[in-house]
């Protein structure tokens, strides 16, 4: 019995081995932002990584470029024939190992987007350590320039961009969304950033670089097909069910009446029916709104005024969404994935349209938009 007990103890001790392949935290670089551009030489790509500097992330330290202790993050860029090669070149010059498991956002340059992002998506698919929930956005110029923005309220530029997506100011497109759209042959949209110097925001008397949102960039088959302005982008985001707290201001009776409405609920649904002329797609918007500003006018009661506000809002939003969808048709980018809706509901009809769907969507798709809104309250008005 004693021999048996000793044998069991020895077997248990064998399983208590150390971790032979461990990497200490102080040996890693956690990349939070990845910026992709076309290289200066044809057939090359430039990658820029943005990562925090642990030795400068001290409590109370000011973010941005004007801090006396320097920035709390660093950027490194390399150019190569492929994306993995560029990352390898960056790694070669670093004292710590690159870790992409905590990346927050990917930004692609406009020129790179025009050439197509298929290589980027292929890399994402094959790298098991890359989080598919990473947000992806587009830059108006070189993506690398975005790293110069001043993170006034955050510690790093990548955190600013991440909040743009997380707060649903426009699109919150992720790497996973792009991969699914590519696999299904559909289009997709992502937030299109703005970038420039802003004199109102200054550090040590110097204008700082500032990033914002100017609209959306449209893709089909991994290539950029066009862009939308802010108004159209907001409407398209609503049609996709992505917009949070949209706000609209309206006037009527030659400005005698006016109101501003903030939607506390903004939803959408998509349906398809078959007519003798082919499929008819219906995009329905639903919303509940709070009137946060109202300019009264005479000779109307509250019930008539409420009906007028709702009708006006429904007309304006429906027209904005219809115009945005028309823009996606002109770009040949089925952002709303109406083709998948057709496949799910009418698979036999879809088989006949599958090969020519891009052309059909651009020229023949019948898409109707309706809205159904209601007013929850008029602010604090009794």
């Amino acid at each position: 019995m004693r021999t048996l007990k000793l044998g069991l103890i020895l077997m248990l001790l064998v399983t208590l081995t150390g971790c032979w392949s461990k990497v200490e935290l102080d040996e890693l670089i956690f990349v939070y932002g990845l910026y992709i551009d076309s290289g200066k030489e044809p057939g090359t790509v430039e990658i820029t990584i943005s990562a925090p500097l642990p030795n400068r992330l001290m409590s109370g330290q000011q973010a941005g470029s004007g801090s006396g202790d320097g920035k709390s993050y660093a950027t490194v860029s390399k150019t190569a024939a492929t994306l993995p090669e560029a990352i390898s070149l960056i790694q070669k010059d670093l004292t710590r190992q690159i870790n992409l498991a905590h990346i927050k956002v990917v930004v692609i340059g406009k020129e790179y987007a025009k050439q197509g992002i298929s290589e980027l998506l292929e890399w994402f698919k094959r790298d098991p350590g890359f989080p598919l929930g990473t947000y992806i956005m587009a830059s108006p110029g070189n993506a690398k320039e975005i790293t110069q923005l001043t993170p006034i309220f955050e510690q790093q530029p990548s955190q600013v961009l991440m909040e743009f997506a997380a707060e649903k100011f426009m699109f919150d497109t992720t790497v996973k969304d792009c991969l699914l759209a590519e696999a299904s042959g559909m289009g997709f949209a992502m937030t299109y950033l703005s970038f420039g110097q802003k004199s109102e925001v200054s550090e040590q008397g110097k204008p700082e670089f500032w990033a914002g949102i100017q609209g959306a960039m449209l893709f089909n088959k991994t290539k950029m097909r066009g862009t939308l302005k802010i108004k159209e982008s907001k409407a398209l985001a609503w049609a996709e069910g992505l917009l949070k707290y949209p706000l609209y201001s309206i006037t009527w009776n030659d400005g005698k009446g006016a109101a501003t409405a903030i939607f506390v609920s903004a939803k959408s649904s998509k349906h398809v029916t078959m007519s003798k002329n082919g499929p008819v797609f219906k995009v329905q918007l639903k919303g509940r709104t709070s009137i946060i500003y109202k300019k009264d006018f005479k000779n109307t009661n509250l019930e008539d005024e409420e009906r007028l506000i709702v009708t006006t809002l429904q007309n304006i939003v429906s027209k904005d969404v219809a115009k945005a969808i028309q823009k996606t048709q002109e770009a040949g980018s089925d952002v709303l994935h109406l083709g998948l809706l057709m496949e799910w509901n009418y698979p036999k009809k879809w088989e006949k349209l599958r090969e020519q769907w891009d052309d059909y969507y651009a020229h023949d798709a019948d898409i109707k938009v309706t809205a159904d809104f209601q007013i929850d309250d008029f602010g604090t008005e009794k």
Side-chain angles (χ1 to χ4, degrees), residues 132-338:
L132 298 183
T134 302
Y135 295 121
I136 184 166
M137 301 176 176
S139 167
N142 287 332
K144 181 180 179 179
E145 295 176 347
I146 302 294
T147 63
Q148 301 177 54
L149 74 86
T150 307
I152 298 295
F153 301 106
E154 309 295 341
Q155 289 186 316
Q156 301 176 60
S158 57
Q159 290 176 300
V160 176
L161 304 177
M162 183 183 69
E163 290 302 321
F164 284 165
E167 292 297 323
K168 295 185 182 294
F169 294 137
M170 191 63 65
F171 290 90
D172 59 350
T173 307
T174 64
V175 169
K176 180 181 178 180
D177 295 328
C178 297
L179 291 174
L180 289 175
E182 179 197 28
S184 59
M186 298 291 111
F188 57 91
M190 63 179 68
T191 294
Y192 186 36
L193 300 170
S194 61
F195 183 72
Q197 283 190 312
K198 202 174 182 68
S199 58
E200 302 97 295
V201 182
S202 61
E203 192 75 42
Q204 298 180 349
K206 298 180 181 179
E208 298 290 342
F209 288 101
W210 194 261
I213 298 174
Q214 64 169 312
M217 184 175 283
L218 305 177
F219 287 79
N220 188 40
K221 290 182 172 57
T222 71
K223 282 191 176 183
M224 170 192 165
R225 298 298 183 184
T227 60
L228 298 181
K229 295 181 180 179
I230 190 74
K231 183 179 179 181
E232 299 160 344
S233 302
K234 183 172 71 170
L236 188 63
W238 190 336
E240 281 209 84
L242 301 174
L243 203 59
K244 185 178 180 181
Y245 306 135
L247 184 145
Y248 281 83
S249 292
I250 59 173
T251 61
W252 58 91
N253 279 15
D254 297 324
K256 295 177 181 178
T260 297
I262 183 168
F263 284 84
V264 295
S265 174
K267 300 179 180 180
S268 70
S269 60
K270 294 170 287 186
H271 307 278
V272 59
T273 57
M274 192 61 63
S275 70
K276 63 180 181 179
N277 296 320
V280 178
F281 300 95
K282 298 179 181 178
V283 178
Q284 185 176 32
L285 313 171
K286 292 186 178 181
R288 294 185 296 105
T289 183
S290 177
I291 306 303
I292 56 176
Y293 167 79
K294 180 167 67 72
K295 177 181 176 182
D296 295 321
F297 60 96
K298 298 179 181 180
N299 301 323
T300 61
N301 57 43
L302 185 61
E303 185 176 339
D304 291 338
E305 197 174 67
E306 181 175 345
R307 189 182 301 110
L308 179 58
I309 291 174
V310 167
T311 301
T312 304
L313 282 172
Q314 289 178 165
N315 290 337
I316 289 177
V317 176
S318 295
K319 289 179 180 178
D320 285 350
V321 172
K323 185 176 180 181
I325 292 175
Q326 183 182 354
K327 291 288 186 179
T328 68
Q329 289 182 278
E330 293 172 2
S333 177
D334 182 8
V335 173
L336 298 181
H337 299 174
L338 300 182

Side-chain angles (χ1 to χ4, degrees), residues 34-73:
L34 196 63
Y35 305 83
I36 314 294
D37 287 303
S38 297
K40 293 181 180 179
E41 296 294 327
T44 62
V45 61
E46 181 181 33
I47 286 186
T48 301
I49 64 169
S50 175
L53 297 173
N55 56 329
R56 294 184 182 176
L57 289 175
M58 299 181 296
S59 177
Q61 178 176 325
Q62 182 180 359
S65 59
S67 173
D69 296 326
K71 295 179 180 179
S72 60
Y73 60 92

